[in-house]
Amino acid sequence: MTSRTSVNLTILQTSDVHGHLYPTDYRDSGDKPLGLAKLSTLIRRERSLDPSLLLIDNGDLLQGTPLMYHYAKFDRSGVHPAARALNALRYDAAILGNHEFNYGTELLRQTIADSGCPWLSANIIDGVSGNPAYGQPYRIFTHAEGIRIAVLGLTTHYIPNWEDPANIEGLEFQDALEACRHWTSYIQEKEDPDAIVVCYHGGFERDPLTGAPTEPLTGENQGYALCRQIEGIDVLLTGHQHRLLTGEINGVLIAQPGSAGQALSKIELEFVPGQDNRWSLQRKSAALLFAEEAESADHELLALFAEDERATQAWLDQPIGRTEGDMTIPDPFTARQADHAFTEFVNRVQMAVTGADISCAAIFTNAARGYGERITMRDVVSNYIYPNTLKVLRLSGQDIRDALEQNALYFEWNESLGSLQVSPSYLVPKPQHFNYDMWEGIEYVLDIAKPPGQRVVQLERGGIPLDPGASFDVVMNSYRAGGGGNFGMLKDKPVVREVPTDMTEILAEWILKQDVLTAACNHNWRVVYGAQGQ
């Protein structure tokens, strides 16, 4: 044992980078305080202070920007950009996120093979062999002073509720809590490390401070239960929810660094000599390092993707059509309160390509701005930011009513302002505007003055009240069709038809074929509050 009184060890965590290598959101050319190239400047600074630090990515790296989309759909030459980034920054480990599967297992396996670091996955299992399907469950990292750190990788097991079945064929997703219980016990018994770090691509189902439930306990997020129910975890690195968090739960240090490369988690562990020639964890702390602290992006890292970026930008700026009339979205919240030409267009395309009579779609973020007079690929991918496919479900009239009641929870009344506002449950712990749908093919009114569960005050089709027992074919994105967003009434419903093409491709091809889009709106739905509905 060394004669030193203590040894400090640093762990840096990125998570939910979502393909943001450059400091841009691709909506304009402005430099933004985000992206892995800016975090790289901070990583290099921290590594100069502690050359032996551990650098870990906690998932959702392969999807989320036009650069990653363009590579997956049109290029696929050479080493995957995500693997290039992991290798250039000398990551020690990577964890699988749910969005790693969006472009299929072939591309994922290519990325893993191209990566110089191990990918850790304890609860995603090969259905044939029964073994972990990707990489290994955990890895032991040994510090120069002999300190042994166990890093265990877990992924939210809720993926089958969202993902295209073709992209996860042959895989089993074990309950992350139970997998953690098994592997933590195994690591303690077989490895006897000086500290255990669990890297979980999942978040917290309860408020970290109070323990109060913050979402339906579906199993999508189990971070609070991991801290409270499993002995032996020293640090829990989380993600998935895109939150900026540090703190402790039941003595377990926690951290979550937001999304899109906006921040980096820094974990500091102090070890002191213990009994039996061992090291003892004396102190631990967590902090967030923000991309805005970087004076500039790492130009060496950016140079690795210069050609990818050039090709992506050229593709984004291709004009593919134009509009007649107004399809812009000046205010997304207003556009969610009554039928709008942009959502009408998306729903109409979904109905046309699938033959469904009814459709629902969302304005995914408050950054969505619709289409101006000239439409480019940048406009398409900026408004439709997820690689969803389409599914047609056979639903009853009651299923549709239940789904609309779920949608109505998006709103609440602000007494002081005398107006509608977004319910806090759709803003915390992260914005979930993508979980509010607008429907076409039916006529409906949501009255937010009514109690939850009774807010659908009008529901008709062609002027006739919708029969609760009748069947209807409804098209929606693949995420919603799996029940994602607390739409349990849609889960496991009969699938009438699937369109495996990415929705952005469907929209782009439609616009190219039409050349001119005429803005139209049949005003088939609205949201009111009490007397407004009269």
Side-chain angles (χ1 to χ4, degrees):
M1 176 69 71
T2 178
S3 59
R4 293 173 61 185
T5 57
S6 66
V7 174
N8 294 317
L9 191 149
T10 301
I11 302 173
L12 300 181
Q13 174 212 10
T14 55
S15 189
D16 298 271
V17 172
H18 283 289
H20 286 82
L21 305 177
Y22 276 69
T24 177
D25 58 11
Y26 289 92
R27 295 181 178 90
D28 55 50
S29 59
D31 185 88
K32 303 294 193 299
L34 54 81
L36 197 57
K38 286 203 170 179
L39 293 186
S40 175
T41 299
L42 304 181
I43 291 169
R44 293 183 190 277
R45 181 191 72 189
E46 294 299 319
R47 189 168 267 137
S48 71
L49 300 174
D50 181 3
S52 61
L53 64 77
L54 295 178
L55 177 59
I56 300 169
D57 183 75
N58 206 47
D60 279 5
L61 178 60
L62 273 63
Q63 175 275 339
T65 59
L67 187 149
M68 292 298 188
Y69 180 89
H70 185 267
Y71 178 86
K73 293 292 185 178
F74 303 107
D75 189 350
R76 295 209 178 190
S77 63
V79 175
H80 192 290
R84 272 181 267 162
L86 293 173
N87 297 342
L89 291 176
R90 298 174 12 232
Y91 273 79
D92 294 286
I95 314 301
L96 278 81
N98 52 295
H99 283 287
E100 258 65 75
F101 295 92
N102 287 168
Y103 299 122
T105 56
E106 179 183 350
L107 189 67
L108 174 55
R109 292 188 185 280
Q110 172 199 328
T111 307
I112 292 174
D114 288 342
S115 301
C117 67
W119 287 67
L120 306 180
S121 175
N123 67 313
I124 303 176
I125 306 302
D126 183 283
V128 176
S129 69
N131 297 321
Y134 299 96
Q136 57 201 80
Y138 68 91
R139 181 75 174 261
I140 301 294
F141 295 94
T142 303
H143 188 271
E145 298 289 347
I147 299 170
R148 301 174 69 249
I149 306 293
V151 177
L152 173 67
L154 297 168
T155 305
T156 176
H157 61 262
Y158 212 61
I159 291 173
N161 292 281
W162 309 310
E163 190 54 70
D164 182 343
N167 290 343
I168 54 175
E169 186 176 0
L171 299 176
E172 296 178 6
F173 295 84
Q174 295 182 341
D175 184 285
L177 178 65
E178 296 309 315
C180 186
R181 193 188 312 278
H182 166 77
W183 284 106
T184 300
S185 177
Y186 179 92
I187 291 168
Q188 288 174 312
E189 179 182 349
K190 300 296 185 180
E191 304 286 359
D192 194 23
D194 297 301
I196 295 179
V197 176
V198 174
C199 297
Y200 170 49
H201 188 83
F204 296 95
E205 72 281 26
R206 296 179 180 271
D207 185 289
L209 295 177
T210 67
T214 53
E215 62 184 40
L217 302 181
T218 61
E220 176 182 351
N221 298 297
Q222 299 173 295
Y224 192 85
L226 289 171
C227 294
R228 298 292 301 182
Q229 297 184 27
I230 298 178
E231 296 292 330
I233 301 175
D234 296 295
V235 179
L236 178 66
L237 302 180
T238 63
H240 186 54
Q241 291 176 316
H242 299 183
R243 301 172 71 179
L244 295 163
L245 289 174
T246 60
E248 275 197 16
I249 300 175
N250 194 33
V252 179
L253 189 70
I254 65 168
Q256 190 173 142
S259 65
Q262 68 184 125
L264 183 71
S265 301
K266 180 180 180 180
I267 308 299
E268 293 186 283
L269 307 178
E270 180 183 4
F271 293 86
V272 297
Q275 297 179 346
D276 301 323
N277 206 35
R278 293 287 305 276
W279 288 97
S280 175
L281 180 56
Q282 178 78 7
R283 181 187 63 84
K284 52 189 178 182
S285 64
L288 296 178
L289 309 179
F290 290 88
E292 61 189 14
E293 300 173 25
E295 293 183 2
S296 62
D298 182 343
H299 294 290
E300 289 185 23
L301 185 70
L302 292 181
L304 296 176
F305 312 104
E307 180 54 30
D308 303 82
E309 181 71 0
R310 185 206 62 75
T312 300
Q313 292 290 351
W315 171 69
L316 286 172
D317 288 330
Q318 293 176 9
I320 59 174
R322 58 190 180 90
T323 63
E324 287 184 351
D326 188 2
M327 293 185 70
T328 63
I329 307 176
D331 179 11
F333 185 61
T334 300
R336 296 186 183 106
Q337 296 178 55
D339 197 17
H340 187 278
F342 177 79
T343 48
E344 174 110 359
F345 163 70
V346 175
N347 275 316
R348 291 293 179 185
V349 171
Q350 291 186 170
M351 295 162 74
V353 299
T354 62
D357 299 320
I358 301 172
S359 174
C360 61
I363 297 174
F364 291 126
T365 75
N366 280 347
R369 289 295 175 262
Y371 298 154
E373 182 179 354
R374 175 178 175 271
I375 308 173
T376 66
M377 277 303 304
R378 192 183 304 276
D379 297 317
V380 175
V381 300
S382 294
N383 285 279
Y384 206 104
I385 62 175
Y386 298 112
N388 294 325
T389 56
L390 295 179
K391 288 189 177 183
V392 179
L393 302 186
R394 183 148 293 161
L395 303 179
S396 69
Q398 186 61 50
D399 292 330
I400 293 173
R401 178 175 289 273
D402 292 343
L404 289 172
E405 289 289 356
Q406 176 63 36
N407 278 325
L409 296 178
Y410 178 79
F411 299 98
E412 67 174 32
W413 185 256
N414 186 311
E415 289 289 350
S416 62
L417 296 177
S419 63
L420 290 174
Q421 67 178 22
V422 180
S423 171
S425 64
Y426 281 79
L427 298 174
V428 178
K430 72 174 182 179
Q432 297 181 52
H433 305 296
F434 53 84
N435 281 330
Y436 170 74
D437 293 325
M438 291 147 282
W439 291 59
E440 193 60 45
I442 55 176
E443 303 91 49
Y444 64 94
V445 176
L446 306 179
D447 186 352
I448 309 307
K450 301 290 186 181
Q454 302 176 34
R455 292 176 169 177
V456 181
V457 295
Q458 177 187 336
L459 179 55
E460 301 175 348
R461 177 166 167 77
I464 301 173
L466 205 66
D467 182 351
S471 294
F472 303 90
D473 290 351
V474 182
V475 58
M476 62 194 69
N477 68 57
S478 50
Y479 169 78
R480 186 71 75 242
N486 302 320
F487 285 80
M489 75 295 295
L490 305 180
K491 186 179 179 182
D492 299 324
K493 295 298 180 180
V495 178
V496 177
R497 185 182 178 192
E498 296 184 48
V499 178
T501 306
D502 189 295
M503 188 57 183
T504 53
E505 291 184 48
I506 291 174
L507 291 171
E509 289 174 6
W510 185 273
I511 296 167
L512 281 166
K513 182 178 180 180
Q514 299 296 319
D515 186 40
V516 178
L517 303 182
T518 301
C521 187
N522 63 357
H523 306 288
N524 64 300
W525 65 271
R526 59 196 171 114
V527 179
V528 301
Y529 186 82
Q532 298 176 359
Q534 303 302 317

